[in-house]
């Protein structure tokens, strides 16, 4: 059974930093691309970042580029999203997901975690 479990969310102030983790089990983690998405109630889920199988290449959307970093540790079956200079607009539930190829398309991600809440106060 495939499981993705996010952790590290919380309530922080604008300008603070937070690191999210996603631990995977039940799959050969190193064979998957990993993505982070976020969703605000009432809005569609938004792609944030992705990383390739070896962690050599990463892609981040413009709104977080320069502030967020995605990385992975295949020995720990884990992926991370380091978030700095957080803004109230970053408030959302953050999800990790895995896909067979590099993509920002939600529909191509096969397995999803349940999400972790990040709230940034002003």
């Amino acid at each position: 059974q495939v499981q993705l479990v996010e952790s590290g969310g919380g309530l922080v102030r604008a300008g603070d930093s937070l690191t999210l983790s996603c631990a995977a089990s039940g799959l050969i983690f190193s064979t998957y691309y990993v993505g982070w998405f976020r969703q605000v109630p009432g809005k569609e889920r938004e792609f944030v970042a992705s990383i390739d199988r070896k962690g050599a290449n990463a892609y981040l959307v413009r709104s977080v580029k320069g502030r967020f970093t995605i990385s992975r540790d295949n020995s720990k079956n884990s992926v991370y999203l380091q978030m700095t200079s957080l803004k109230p607009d970053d408030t959302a539930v953050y999800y990790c997901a895995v896909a067979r190829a590099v993509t920002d398309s939600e529909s191509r991600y096969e397995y999803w975690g349940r999400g972790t809440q990040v709230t940034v106060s002003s």
Side-chain angles (χ1 to χ4, degrees):
Q1 181 182 0
V2 176
Q3 279 195 315
L4 300 176
V5 180
E6 302 93 338
S7 62
L11 172 63
V12 296
R13 294 183 177 180
D16 284 351
S17 300
L18 208 57
T19 297
L20 306 183
S21 300
C22 173
S25 61
L27 75 172
I28 303 175
F29 183 68
S30 61
T31 65
Y32 286 86
Y33 292 77
V34 184
W36 283 98
F37 289 76
R38 64 186 181 185
Q39 189 171 27
V40 175
K43 293 188 176 181
E44 293 188 354
R45 193 148 47 184
E46 172 192 24
F47 171 78
V48 176
S50 66
I51 192 165
D52 68 5
R53 298 185 188 100
K54 293 186 177 181
N57 296 291
Y59 177 77
L60 296 100
V61 295
R62 183 178 297 180
S63 60
V64 306
K65 198 170 290 186
R67 301 188 299 120
F68 290 12
T69 303
I70 184 172
S71 62
R72 68 189 293 166
D73 185 344
N74 287 341
S75 70
K76 296 182 179 179
N77 284 1
S78 294
V79 65
Y80 310 97
L81 187 67
Q82 295 172 276
M83 307 184 293
T84 65
S85 302
L86 282 161
K87 305 175 181 180
D89 283 349
D90 296 318
T91 295
V93 176
Y94 284 72
Y95 301 88
C96 66
V98 295
R100 299 280 185 173
V102 61
T103 179
D104 59 0
S105 173
E106 182 179 347
S107 64
R108 296 190 67 183
Y109 282 83
E110 296 185 25
Y111 302 103
W112 292 80
R114 293 189 174 185
T116 185
Q117 175 71 48
V118 172
T119 304
V120 185
S121 67
S122 56

